[in-house]
Amino acid sequence: MIKLENVTKVYPGAVVAVKDVNLEVSKGEFLFLVGASGSGKSTLIRLMMREELPTNGDVWIAGKHASEMPSWKIPYLRRSIGTVFQDFKLLPTKTVYENVAFAMEVTAKHRSVIRNQVPQVLKLVGLSDKADRLPRQLSGGEQQRVAIARAFVNRPLIILADEPTGNLDPGTSVGIMRILDRINRTGTTVVMATHDHAIVDAMQRRVVELDRGRVARDESRGIYETRKPEADAVKAEPEGTIEPPVDEPVEDVTESEVDEAAP
Amino acid sequence: MTSVAYMIKEAFNNLSRNALVVLGAILAVFISLTLTFGTLVFGEIVRVNTLQWAQDVRVIAFLQDDMTPETTAAMQNEIATWPQVADVFYVSKQDAFVEAQVLFSNDEAMLRVLDESPDLLPASIRVQPADPEDYDLIVIRLESTPGVQTVESAGDAIEAMIALRDGLQIMFWLLAVALGAAAVALIANTIHMAIYARREEIEIMRLVGASNAFIRTPFLIEGALEGLIGGALAVTFVVVAQQLAVDRLSELPEWINLTIHNDFILRQGALVLLFGLGAGLLGSSLSLAVHRTLRS
C-alpha cells in the first residue's frame, strides 16, 4: 500500500530530515511512527501524502509512483488518502456536517451521495447528534472526531495521522484511537505519527521508530520504547487492543467486515 | 450541487466577502475602459466627420461633369508637379457616392436622394499639401485650372477637430494603458486577498484531493466577473454620454454628425467587454500564479 525505497529528504540549509529510509506498509496494516521531536516522523507523513518530494529515493502510494507523479495528478492520489492532524484543521464557519460534507463537495461527489455518506460517517465517530454544531461548540476530542470523519468520508485506502492525539488528554485520546482502530478494521491502512507512549503500548501494533531521520527499529507488535520510563507507566492504558467505540456500527462497517479485516 | 454551480457560487461568495476592494477593482476597469471606449467613439465621430480630409488632404477640387478620363489624368499629373503639392488623389463619382453614404448615414432623406441619383456628386481631385500652410496657394492655382467647378479647403474647424483628436487620442490611450495596468493590478490584489481569506479552506481542499481546476476556477471567475462588470459599465456610460451629447448639442453646425452607427457600438463594445474580461482573467491568473497557498 505504501512503499518507501532509500528515501532521503534534505531541506534547504542541508537539514537532513529523513535518511535512507526503506519502509513497506501493507494493506490494512496499522503502523505507529515514533521517535523524538525532529526525528523525521512528520516529514515521512508529508512524503507519504505527497506534500513533499524526496531528495533521493522513491515513494509508492496505493500502487502509484508518487515521487514521480506530475503535479496535476496529485489531487487524484490524495483522494485515496485521508489525513488527520494535531490541530484538526476544521473550517470554523462550517458546521460538523458541512465540514465533513466539504471533503465530498470538493471532489465533486453527487449531492445524494453526500447526503447518504455524511450521516453514516458521523455515526461511526459518534457525532450524529452534533451535526449542526460549529467546531467552537465542540470539545477537542469531538473536533478531532470530526476531522477523522472528514478524512474517512471518501473511504480512502490510507489514513495518515500526524500526532492526532497531541492536543488531547489521555482519556479523550483513547476515544480517538478506538475510532482509528475501527477504521483500520475495515481494511484501511493507518499510519500514525505519535509521541503518545500509552497509546502505542496499549495497542501493540507495528511500530517504526525513527532516530535522526533513520529507521532505528521496526517491530510488528511493538511498544513505544523497549524500556518504558517510569513516569509513563502512570499514563499507560492496560495492555491489549483498545475496545471498539460504543456507537452502533454503520451500514458499511459491519461486524463481519471488521472480523474479515482484523489482522 | 454540480462542480460548475459550486464554482460559480464560490466566485459570487468571494465577490460579496470583499465588496469594497472588489468595487475598487471594478471602478478601475470602468475608468480605464471608459477612456478606451470613449477614445474609440470620439475617433469614430471625427473619422466620419472628416472622411474627405483623411490622408492629410486639405484641398478638394470638384470637377465639372464633362471631364474625360484623359483630361482628368492629365490634370492630376499636372497638379502633382506643383512644388506646393505632396500628393494628389482622384475620387470618381462612384467613390464619392460610397463616401457620401457613410457621411450621411444618419440622414435618411439624403440617403434617399443619393440612391435615386448616384451620379449627383461630382468627381474630385484631392490634394495633400507639402506644407499645410501652403494650402491657400494651391486653392488659388486650382480655381484657375480649366475643368474645376469649385474648390474647398479644410476649414479651421476641421483642422481643430483633427488636431484635437490626435492630441486627445495620445493622451487617452496613455491613460487607458496606465489605468488598464492599474485595473489588472487591483483585480490581482482582490484575488490575492480572496485566496488569503480562504487559505484554510484551500489547504483542506488540497488535502482531500480537490483538483487544481476546482480550487482555482472560482478565483478566475471572480476576476473575469470584475473585468466584465467594469467593461459593461464603461460601454453603458459611453453610449449614454454619446446619446446625451446628440440630444443636447442640437445647436451644432449641420455638418457635424455626432451619431454613431449601431454596428460600431456593437463591434467595439464587444471588444471593450472582451478587454474587460481579459483584464480580469489576467489579474486573477497573475495572482493564482504567485500565491503560495496554491502551489502544489
Side-chain angles (χ1 to χ4, degrees), chain B residues 183-211:
Chain B
V184 169
L186 276 169
I187 289 174
N189 186 45
T190 58
I191 302 301
H192 193 82
M193 288 177 70
I195 296 170
Y196 187 77
R198 296 186 58 202
R199 63 193 183 285
E200 286 178 343
E201 221 169 305
I202 292 168
E203 187 188 355
I204 294 163
M205 286 165 99
R206 293 180 62 224
L207 285 175
V208 298
S211 67

Side-chain angles (χ1 to χ4, degrees), chain B residues 50-290:
Chain B
T50 59
L51 207 56
Q52 293 163 299
W53 311 104
Q55 292 180 282
D56 289 334
V57 167
R58 292 295 175 266
V59 183
I60 302 175
F62 293 102
L63 305 180
Q64 290 167 356
D65 283 351
D66 57 1
M67 294 280 283
T68 63
E70 292 76 24
T71 50
T72 307
M75 180 194 284
Q76 192 179 346
N77 291 337
E78 157 71 15
I79 294 168
T81 62
W82 297 353
Q84 300 88 354
V85 171
D87 208 351
V88 183
F89 314 93
Y90 172 68
V91 176
S92 67
K93 276 178 167 289
Q94 289 78 21
D95 296 337
F97 173 71
V98 172
E99 188 180 86
Q101 282 184 315
V102 179
L103 269 174
F104 300 107
S105 58
N106 294 299
D107 188 338
E108 282 182 22
M110 184 62 92
L111 287 176
R112 261 200 309 280
V113 172
L114 284 170
D115 278 339
E116 282 164 14
S117 40
D119 278 352
L120 188 70
L121 297 170
S124 59
I125 289 219
R126 300 187 178 186
V127 183
Q128 189 191 96
D131 179 347
E133 290 185 6
D134 286 344
Y135 79 94
D136 46 348
L137 279 174
I138 298 169
V139 170
I140 293 165
R141 288 189 75 170
L142 281 173
E143 277 172 344
S144 57
T145 303
V148 171
Q149 194 176 27
T150 52
V151 178
E152 268 185 30
S153 61
D156 290 344
I158 299 285
E159 289 288 349
M161 198 187 264
I162 291 170
L164 184 66
R165 178 197 63 186
D166 293 347
L168 283 181
Q169 270 190 340
I170 292 170
M171 195 178 80
F172 276 24
W173 280 122
L174 286 175
L175 267 175
V177 168
L179 282 165
V184 169
L186 276 169
I187 289 174
N189 186 45
T190 58
I191 302 301
H192 193 82
M193 288 177 70
I195 296 170
Y196 187 77
R198 296 186 58 202
R199 63 193 183 285
E200 286 178 343
E201 221 169 305
I202 292 168
E203 187 188 355
I204 294 163
M205 286 165 99
R206 293 180 62 224
L207 285 175
V208 298
S211 67
N212 286 338
F214 193 91
I215 297 173
R216 288 161 184 256
T217 307
F219 298 109
L220 281 174
I221 295 174
E222 183 188 345
L225 279 174
E226 287 172 14
L228 267 181
I229 294 169
L233 287 175
V235 172
T236 312
F237 180 83
V238 172
V239 170
V240 169
Q242 182 257 343
Q243 203 54 51
L244 283 176
V246 170
D247 294 346
R248 299 276 169 88
L249 301 176
S250 51
E251 302 294 308
L252 283 175
E254 264 179 37
W255 56 269
I256 294 186
N257 176 9
L258 285 179
T259 51
I260 297 276
H261 249 262
N262 284 342
D263 273 2
F264 176 87
I265 297 284
L266 284 176
R267 237 178 315 114
Q268 304 298 326
L271 202 66
V272 167
L273 285 180
L274 270 179
F275 265 113
L277 181 71
L281 288 174
L282 179 66
S284 42
S285 302
L286 281 175
S287 207
L288 288 169
V290 300

